[in-house]
Amino acid sequence: MAEATVHGSEHSAHAHGHDALATTAHAEVHQEHPIRLYLIVWGWLFILSACSYFVDYAGFEGYLRWTLILIFMVLKAGLIVAVFMHMAFERPALSWAILLPPVAVLVFVALMVFEADYTALTRLNFFGTGG
């Protein structure tokens, strides 16, 4: 009988430990971020958008124009993904699982761009100019 009581108290302690763990996990899942964070991000998005429009207004041309526009675009997308899609608050494994595939695709596209020049030159040498 005493053994059942000891076992029962262990089960009770285990249940209370599980409830505390579940409450902590529940609190972590539903954490709220201060409105100040969102206002700061909105401010930065406005500033980056203004800079992007300034590139067109100032009349930049060529690679400088497209480089600046792409930099501002990537910064804005990074802020949106990090804060509004809550990636900055996720576990690192989940972040890697979501962010690594697009990075790999960009690397493979860059490799194809370099290979495309080689392929085009090889075809021109083999088939001629066609004219």
Side-chain angles (χ1 to χ4, degrees), residues 58-107:
F60 292 120
E61 295 293 329
Y63 287 121
L64 176 63
R65 175 178 188 243
W66 290 109
T67 301
L68 289 173
I69 288 174
L70 288 174
I71 287 172
F72 294 136
M73 179 188 69
V74 168
L75 288 174
K76 290 191 298 184
L79 279 173
I80 291 168
V81 168
V83 177
F84 294 115
M85 296 177 69
H86 306 285
M87 286 301 296
F89 314 111
E90 293 293 338
R91 295 182 183 149
L94 182 61
S95 297
W96 280 109
I98 292 174
L99 296 176
L100 190 60
V103 170
V105 167
L106 290 175
V107 168

Side-chain angles (χ1 to χ4, degrees), residues 48-58 72:
L48 291 170
S49 293
C51 290
S52 182
Y53 286 120
F54 179 75
V55 168
D56 284 334
Y57 181 76
F72 294 136

